[in-house]
Amino acid sequence: MGSRFLGRKLLQMIFTIAMIVILNFLLFRLMPGSPERILFRNPNVTPAVLADARARWGLDKPLIPDQLIAYVESTLQGDLGYSFKYQGQAVTDVIGQAIWPTLILFGLGEVIAIVVGLGLGAYAGWKRGGIVDYLGNGVSLVLYAMPYFVIGMALVLIFATALRWFPTSGMLRIGADYASWVNQLVDFLAHLALPLATVSIGLIGQYSILMRSSIIETLGEDYVTTARAKGLTSGRILRSHAFPNAMLPAVTLIAINLGYVVAGAVTVEYVFAWPGLGSLTVDALAARDYPVLQGIFLLLSIAVVVANFVADLIYGYLDPRVRA
């Protein structure tokens, strides 16, 4: 891969992140109210204490450039301020505690959906007009049209409420005393099963539909006709010629979905009370915890930008014409 292409994409990513940081600063300053309003809840706070708090937080200085420069410097140092709701805790610590459950849930969900969805779509497209194509495409369209919370509620009603195979919510049993780490792992996997199934099922449909369309498009290409004329088997043509070329649009979709790993967590985590970033976002909105919301917004935005940067690199590797 050319250094010029890599440098251009890297500069674009850095510029986009810089714009996001500035937008993140301005967006939350345009909201009604100000941080010191939380002190008004205490009737014993005097005007002098209020003025001292404004000076300590730098709110007595001009918004631009003083507050903007201070915000950018703090952000570059990893200082996102302190949470209003979780008093005494830094925003980075609050987000850090919630990010791992989300990454485990959506990371595994993405992997399962990519493997199953791309495999199902490739086979359905290759066997176009067959029973697998009709069934696979129909099921994929239904799954693609269903939002996460509908899938999640259906799974809860069937497998948790009716059959009682899995817990309804949470990541571990509350107050449980585990005899060993194996028992704790089993309990964690039992709690993970339904949320993970929800995420995977919700993503399989779109991967399958996209891959089926790409495979059908590649069937009319000259290199597939040439491979058939050489006498190659259908399986080898699919694996070595059709599938790699059909992966180009799928790479873009995978990158976008990886960027939205955190963003898509809100509904699933809320249905299953999964203690991740989605639940934290809902709690922060209810408590008007602006520093935490600001940190989550920044994390989401950077995740999307980095995922698209990786997609550009993979795209350039798969299709050399992109690097021109």
Side-chain angles (χ1 to χ4, degrees):
M1 184 175 298
S3 57
R4 186 178 177 183
F5 173 77
L6 179 62
R8 189 170 71 245
K9 292 299 177 184
L10 192 60
L11 286 177
Q12 290 176 354
M13 183 185 69
I14 294 173
F15 177 77
T16 305
I17 291 177
M19 292 297 102
I20 288 172
V21 171
I22 295 175
L23 179 63
N24 197 33
F25 170 81
L26 295 175
L27 186 64
F28 284 84
R29 267 69 181 178
L30 293 176
M31 290 183 175
S34 58
E36 75 272 19
R37 288 186 64 183
I38 59 175
L39 297 177
F40 290 149
R41 300 171 186 172
N42 186 348
N44 298 320
V45 173
T46 63
V49 173
L50 196 60
D52 180 63
R54 286 182 59 82
R56 189 169 62 254
W57 293 340
L59 299 175
D60 58 337
K61 297 178 180 177
L63 187 65
I64 299 175
D66 296 57
Q67 291 189 38
L68 175 59
I69 293 175
Y71 170 76
V72 172
E73 289 178 350
S74 300
T75 302
L76 291 176
Q77 295 172 5
D79 181 8
L80 301 179
Y82 289 88
S83 167
F84 292 164
K85 181 180 180 182
Y86 306 96
Q87 296 183 2
Q89 291 193 47
V91 170
T92 50
D93 294 336
V94 174
I95 294 177
Q97 294 169 7
I99 194 170
W100 290 111
T102 296
L103 289 179
I104 292 172
L105 173 59
F106 278 83
L108 291 175
E110 280 281 350
V111 171
I112 294 173
I114 289 171
V115 173
V116 177
L118 295 184
L120 176 62
Y123 190 79
W126 190 251
K127 298 292 184 182
R128 184 183 183 185
I131 184 71
V132 175
D133 183 27
Y134 284 120
L135 287 177
N137 197 38
V139 172
S140 297
L141 287 172
V142 172
L143 295 179
Y144 183 56
M146 293 176 68
Y148 282 129
F149 72 90
V150 174
I151 301 173
M153 292 177 68
L155 293 180
V156 168
L157 288 175
I158 296 172
F159 296 102
T161 304
L163 299 177
R164 298 182 181 276
W165 288 355
F166 300 102
T168 56
S169 61
M171 196 164 70
L172 292 170
R173 277 187 295 136
I174 299 176
D177 186 16
Y178 300 100
S180 66
W181 67 270
V182 176
N183 294 337
Q184 186 174 5
L185 178 62
V186 170
D187 188 36
F188 172 75
L189 294 177
H191 284 81
L192 177 65
L194 293 184
L196 181 60
T198 302
V199 174
S200 302
I201 292 173
L203 291 172
I204 283 174
Q206 51 184 302
Y207 285 132
S208 175
I209 292 172
L210 181 66
M211 179 52 73
R212 175 184 177 274
S213 176
S214 298
I215 288 290
I216 291 175
E217 188 176 342
T218 59
L219 291 180
E221 298 292 339
D222 293 338
Y223 55 83
V224 174
T225 305
T226 304
R228 282 175 171 160
K230 288 181 176 178
L232 299 182
T233 62
S234 296
R236 185 173 178 184
I237 295 173
L238 176 62
R239 291 192 303 272
S240 304
H241 298 279
F243 191 80
N245 288 284
M247 276 294 295
L248 290 175
V251 168
T252 304
L253 180 62
I254 292 171
I256 293 174
N257 281 336
L258 288 177
Y260 283 105
V261 157
V262 181
V266 174
T267 53
V268 177
E269 291 185 357
Y270 199 69
V271 169
F272 293 98
W274 189 260
L277 284 178
S279 299
L280 178 63
T281 303
V282 175
D283 294 340
L285 278 171
R288 296 185 179 181
D289 195 345
Y290 292 140
V292 171
L293 289 174
Q294 198 174 26
I296 294 174
F297 178 82
L298 184 63
L299 178 65
L300 291 177
S301 305
I302 292 177
V304 172
V305 173
V306 172
N308 279 276
F309 170 72
V310 174
D312 286 339
L313 298 185
I314 297 175
Y315 216 95
Y317 174 77
L318 295 175
D319 188 355
R321 295 172 297 179
V322 177
R323 302 198 298 265

